[in-house]
Amino acid sequence: MTSQCLPRFSLAFFTFSCLLSLSVAARATPNFKVRAVSLGGWLVTEGWIKPSLFDGIINKDLLDGTQVQFLSVKQGKYVCAESGGGTIIVANRTSASGWETFKLWRVSETEFQFRVFNREFVGLQNGTNDVVAVATTPGESETFQIVRKSDDMNRVRIMASNGFFLQAKTQDLVTADFESNNTTWGNDDPSIFLMSIVGTMQGEFQVTNGYGPVKAPTVMREHWATFITEPDFQFISSSGLNAVRIPVGWWIASDPSPPPPFVGGSLEALDNAFTWAEKYNVKIVIDLHAAPGSQNGYEHSGSRDGSQEWGQSDENIQQTVAVIDFLASRYASRPGLLAVELINEPLAPGVSLDSLTKYYQAGYDTVRKYTTSAYIVMSNRLGPMDPQELFPLASGLQGIVVDVHYYNLFSSIFYSMTVQENIDYVYNNRTSELNYVTTANGPLTFVGEWTAEWRVSGATKEDYQRFAAAQLEVFGRASFGWSYWTLKNVRDHWSIEWMIQNGYIAL
């Protein structure tokens, strides 16, 4: 409230007029439409954006969260965690699914722990040679070494903590008591398994734990110092963009000594971004892209193995609020700060609406301790939900923006669409979806992620231009604005830098 709301008016009118001003402020449209780009893959790693970042990792195909299956060559059957975990390991399955899939926790370049379907870990039972999956927390007896055949990397032996190799003695008996270090790697050897990799992850946890504590700091600091630099902000400003959305991970609040395997240095990079943004009159949306415990299980949320554990306790929510407190207190006074996004893409139903609204209210209160002018962005949940489900919370708060993400990619309905069908979908369906969340008395709306990539094969440059133009027109109607994903990418059409420089997008 300002001093203009003071004494010469009655108390009643003072109360009414100031509440009215707050209400108007809560729904006020910014004096400019945000045309932003996300700096994806910079301070929160996504391997598909810059695959070369992983090139120096030994056994880089065996990172945390990699899903593997093992076929016993002797038995001709897949290794299985019986009942999905909680009991013995067998080798009696003719086909592989969830119970026959193991998620790796990487301990070193060759040592791993195996997490099973029900989240227990494979290990040795009570100092015996029996192989079971009962431990909820891995230790030495749950740590194994994978030995790969030099000329066939998927043909492996697995050494247990007792120094012996696993063997499938029978289909129903897997033990850790194969003594010989000499093997012909033949199909009659019960200690030989064919390893299939059926899923991978390449995020911040994977790259830092993959390089290890000695190499990771050097690799990451080099990446942060070179992937996004001052000339990028000059390009952004000169191209007609006026803001950047910067994904950060929760560990940034512990810089320069975050919990392992994360390494320090991303905070300095974010400080630099503010300096460059302010120099070139570019605004910043700080986006908490990776929350403690992972809000969606995806690699870009800092997840180790695809598990989604954010918001399941008050302690976890409080830890996340503390990260927002750190960021808001550090940057609230910077003229470059436009908004704080409290969390990116929480996934329903793993993240409940109750836990999310509890967090959003606490995060809002925290940001407002430091600034009344910065917008507060609340990402809609992915998955089954009502796109207006945050409206009851937002209606009582000031400067709220609801973030929605629109991609013509991640649903089977797009798999066979033609060029024109994709464009029509933007004009018809996306317009309808955006209209649903853009209401006169509701929060501001922000298409916080979109791209001009699709599933059309053989599309021409003109096709891409029309697709991009359609999205720019429709998403430009969002009351707060939009942000393209992303600035730089080895996949050309995902990079707005490439798209602008090559005449695919004109702003």
Side-chain angles (χ1 to χ4, degrees), residues 46-257:
E46 296 188 45
W48 69 284
I49 293 176
K50 185 184 176 183
S52 62
L53 188 59
F54 292 77
D55 284 350
I57 300 176
I58 296 175
N59 281 331
K60 69 175 184 177
D61 58 340
L62 299 181
L63 300 176
D64 290 275
T66 299
Q67 299 177 44
V68 296
Q69 297 166 346
F70 297 105
L71 177 71
S72 166
V73 297
K74 175 74 170 179
Q75 304 299 333
K77 299 292 178 65
Y78 284 96
V79 176
C80 172
E82 196 69 275
S83 301
T87 183
I88 61 173
I89 298 294
V90 295
N92 61 9
R93 296 303 203 274
T94 56
S95 61
S97 186
W99 292 3
E100 296 76 39
T101 302
F102 304 85
K103 292 182 178 180
L104 298 184
W105 279 26
R106 185 177 173 115
V107 178
S108 70
E109 294 171 352
T110 59
E111 293 177 301
F112 304 89
Q113 293 155 346
F114 303 115
R115 203 177 196 188
V116 302
F117 186 83
N118 290 336
R119 299 190 177 185
E120 294 94 350
F121 291 87
V122 177
L124 303 185
Q125 185 173 41
N126 299 328
T128 70
N129 296 328
D130 297 331
V131 183
V132 295
V134 296
T136 56
T137 302
E140 182 180 351
S141 67
E142 285 76 41
T143 302
F144 299 85
Q145 182 177 359
I146 295 179
V147 179
R148 310 177 86 166
K149 190 172 186 286
S150 60
D151 60 348
D152 184 356
M153 300 294 278
N154 291 325
R155 203 168 183 90
V156 304
R157 305 175 80 206
I158 304 170
M159 181 183 286
S161 58
N162 60 4
F164 296 111
F165 289 99
L166 267 59
Q167 63 170 326
K169 282 187 174 179
T170 68
Q171 292 188 13
D172 299 317
L173 184 61
V174 176
T175 58
D177 55 2
F178 193 88
E179 298 186 40
S180 176
N181 285 322
N182 300 316
T183 179
T184 61
W185 295 91
N187 288 343
D188 59 344
D189 189 331
S191 71
I192 304 301
F193 301 90
L194 296 182
M195 178 178 67
S196 299
I197 296 174
V198 295
T200 61
M201 297 183 69
Q202 286 192 330
E204 190 83 10
F205 198 105
Q206 286 72 35
V207 72
T208 50
N209 202 38
Y211 278 110
V214 175
K215 295 180 181 179
T218 300
V219 171
M220 297 310 296
R221 286 180 178 274
E222 172 70 13
H223 167 65
W224 294 327
T226 58
F227 189 61
I228 301 293
T229 61
E230 181 177 341
D232 293 312
F233 281 80
Q234 185 176 22
F235 168 81
I236 288 165
S237 179
S238 64
S239 299
L241 297 164
N242 55 26
V244 290
R245 177 174 176 260
I246 305 182
V248 300
W250 62 269
W251 52 88
I252 198 171
S254 301
D255 209 280
S257 301

Side-chain angles (χ1 to χ4, degrees), residues 407-417 422 425 455:
Y407 290 103
N408 280 29
L409 284 162
F410 305 118
S411 170
S412 58
I413 64 172
F414 301 114
Y415 290 1
S416 59
M417 277 191 183
N422 271 279
Y425 191 92
R455 289 185 172 273

